[in-house]
Amino acid sequence: MTATETKDVRSERAAGADEMLLREIASALVCLSRLRTVPNPVYPAKVQNAYNRLVLHCLRRGEEPPGSVPEMVRWAGERPLGEWPLQLPHENFSGTSLLVDPATRLPHQLCLEWEVSAADPAAELFENERIREAVARCRAAKSPQAYTAFRKLLTSRPVLTGAELALLGGDPDSGMLLHDVIKRCYESVPAFYRRHGTYQQCARCRCLMVPLLHGGHRCELDRCRRDGTSDEGIALRADQGGLFQLSRPLRMFITSPGLAEIDLQAALLRKFGITAEMWPHYDAYDLRIPLPDGRHWAVDVKDRVNPVLLARSLTPFGDEPPYDRAFLVVPRYRFRDNEAYGRQFRRHLREDLADRITLLDDQTFLRLVADEIPLPRDKAGDPRIEGGPRA
């Protein structure tokens, strides 16, 4: 092995160790955000260990370490990832992104993505058994419609009053079969979401908005925040048995992409008269799209910040129900925020998947469908030019 090759191997090992440290720090930040009381000891072992490792890492690199766990949190809210003393490929840092929102002091979605690099981060956290249990019960009952209703609930109703949550037990769509699973997906809303006796619900995604120190509110979801969703929201009181919301990983990785899935389904119906099947065969993939010539396209929708982590975690779609082409569709704003999104994804995609799954933004995907289903201009306009140039 040459000296250059030896240096490259050492560099790869250092990058791997730094990535593990970043993941550990992200996990610590998420852990802190979930604390509702002061534990004893003050910091859970996961948090203290991450801080200790960061301090040791900084000292080895000749960098000034954070002086305390709170200072580590300040780093996450003030210092872009590219300025951390970590040796990682530039594309893995997502530019100037922060791990923590300095206004809300809550971890950004990017932080949760680093915590768990998996195809379905929500299912890999403590929600894992809940999602699996829902699938298993619906399979045993031979009720795919119950699973579809369950997913629609998590997408469209991220916030419920205690009375609404209790009444779901009598819901014939999914509540009668999955009520105890549903209850474990929701958690009591912490008091910090309340201001002047009321909560604010985002008008777009229906998640609760976070009150800001100097007035106003901010939605936690990237798309709502980027689109400038009104900081007023919809006033909501917790008079009926308290207020409950989906756990944050489910809001980030089920509700957020679920909205994009529903938007895509609605666009297919509105533009082309296509009725796409949602979450077929207990979520083998997100949408099954029938084309007029008898072919079917399978689509998974992801709304992820980091294309590298997305590519690494991608797995083949389920084989049933069968399909002719498979697509991974990401909202267009991710490509606008990161013009290299597609290139970074392809560079890190497993070789055996490169020819099996095509990545497109949602507008480009709709234009591709339009190429398969030409429509008269006087009936629907030309969908090929909607959404601007190809990402």
Side-chain angles (χ1 to χ4, degrees):
M1 182 178 293
T2 66
T4 300
E5 290 172 333
T6 301
K7 183 178 180 180
D8 288 343
V9 170
R10 289 175 178 171
S11 179
E12 290 177 5
R13 288 176 179 171
D18 286 9
E19 181 174 316
M20 290 179 61
L21 176 56
L22 175 57
R23 200 177 306 279
E24 196 170 339
I25 293 168
S27 182
L29 295 170
V30 173
C31 176
L32 284 171
S33 73
R34 291 177 179 154
L35 294 178
R36 297 292 176 262
T37 59
V38 178
N40 184 19
V42 175
Y43 298 118
K46 177 187 293 189
V47 175
Q48 190 64 54
N49 290 341
Y51 169 71
N52 292 344
R53 282 199 60 196
L54 176 59
V55 170
L56 181 59
H57 175 85
C58 290
L59 293 176
R60 286 173 172 171
R61 295 284 177 90
E63 300 275 351
E64 182 70 24
S68 62
V69 170
E71 189 172 340
M72 179 179 72
V73 176
R74 282 196 293 274
W75 272 30
E78 298 173 0
R79 181 178 293 199
L81 276 177
E83 297 179 11
W84 285 60
L86 298 170
Q87 182 178 330
L88 282 177
H90 176 71
E91 61 191 25
N92 286 9
F93 284 115
S94 297
T96 59
S97 297
L98 301 170
L99 290 175
V100 169
D101 184 336
T104 65
R105 309 303 294 175
L106 290 173
H108 278 306
Q109 178 176 326
L110 177 64
C111 186
L112 274 76
E113 289 182 15
W114 271 110
E115 182 191 17
V116 176
S117 177
D120 186 357
E124 290 299 321
L125 299 172
F126 59 90
E127 284 75 13
N128 187 19
E129 290 306 317
R130 300 168 195 184
I131 301 297
R132 287 183 180 176
E133 186 177 353
V135 171
R137 286 196 192 182
C138 293
R139 283 184 182 276
K142 297 182 179 179
S143 180
Q145 66 274 14
Y147 182 76
T148 299
F150 170 72
R151 287 295 297 268
K152 285 183 177 178
L153 173 70
L154 301 190
T155 298
S156 62
R157 302 182 70 185
V159 178
L160 296 170
T161 65
E164 290 171 334
L165 189 56
L167 288 173
L168 284 176
D171 175 29
D173 291 333
S174 64
M176 297 178 70
L177 180 63
L178 299 172
H179 191 221
D180 60 322
V181 178
I182 291 170
K183 286 195 295 183
R184 282 181 272 131
C185 290
Y186 289 81
E187 59 190 18
S188 181
V189 173
F192 71 78
Y193 282 92
R194 185 174 65 243
R195 174 175 284 172
H196 305 308
T198 63
Y199 302 84
Q200 294 293 324
Q201 196 172 17
C202 177
R204 175 185 173 268
C205 69
R206 303 290 173 170
C207 293
L208 291 181
M209 304 179 80
V210 182
L212 303 179
L213 182 62
H214 301 293
H217 293 76
R218 175 175 293 179
C219 183
E220 296 175 310
L221 299 189
D222 284 1
R223 185 169 187 172
C224 299
R225 188 167 56 246
R226 183 189 183 280
D227 290 349
T229 301
S230 170
D231 65 357
E232 294 301 323
I234 303 167
L236 186 66
R237 303 188 74 88
D239 297 332
Q240 297 177 297
L243 203 62
F244 296 82
Q245 64 178 346
L246 289 175
S247 61
R248 192 152 189 260
L250 285 176
R251 300 197 301 273
M252 288 287 179
F253 299 115
I254 296 294
T255 302
S256 182
L259 292 169
E261 292 157 10
I262 290 175
D263 287 347
L264 185 59
Q265 182 194 40
L268 289 166
L269 181 61
R270 183 178 67 254
K271 294 175 181 292
F272 314 114
I274 292 176
T275 301
E277 181 183 0
M278 300 288 287
W279 308 295
H281 201 63
Y282 311 100
D283 203 19
Y285 40 88
D286 292 330
L287 294 94
R288 188 173 191 248
I289 301 172
L291 299 178
D293 60 5
R295 290 177 298 148
H296 288 82
W297 286 356
V299 173
D300 246 7
V301 179
K302 301 293 184 187
D303 189 1
R304 300 283 292 276
V305 181
N306 193 310
V308 175
L309 299 181
L310 176 58
R312 288 181 189 171
S313 64
L314 201 64
T315 57
F317 291 11
D319 294 329
E320 293 293 335
Y323 53 87
D324 297 281
R325 290 189 66 183
F327 296 89
L328 184 68
V329 174
V330 173
R332 187 172 179 80
Y333 80 96
R334 294 296 188 191
F335 289 83
R336 288 173 173 163
D337 289 347
N338 177 6
E339 61 85 21
Y341 197 102
R343 297 192 297 274
Q344 292 172 357
F345 174 85
R346 286 187 289 273
R347 279 200 294 271
H348 292 268
L349 187 62
R350 284 168 33 187
E351 289 186 10
D352 62 313
L353 294 179
D355 296 328
R356 298 172 63 183
I357 299 177
T358 302
L359 172 71
L360 294 174
D361 72 83
D362 49 3
Q363 296 302 318
T364 302
F365 177 76
L366 289 172
R367 292 200 298 273
L368 188 63
V369 175
D371 291 340
E372 302 292 326
I373 311 172
L375 295 177
R377 287 178 180 272
D378 60 351
K379 181 178 180 181
D382 190 347
R384 292 170 184 76
I385 63 174
E386 295 183 17
R390 187 184 182 96

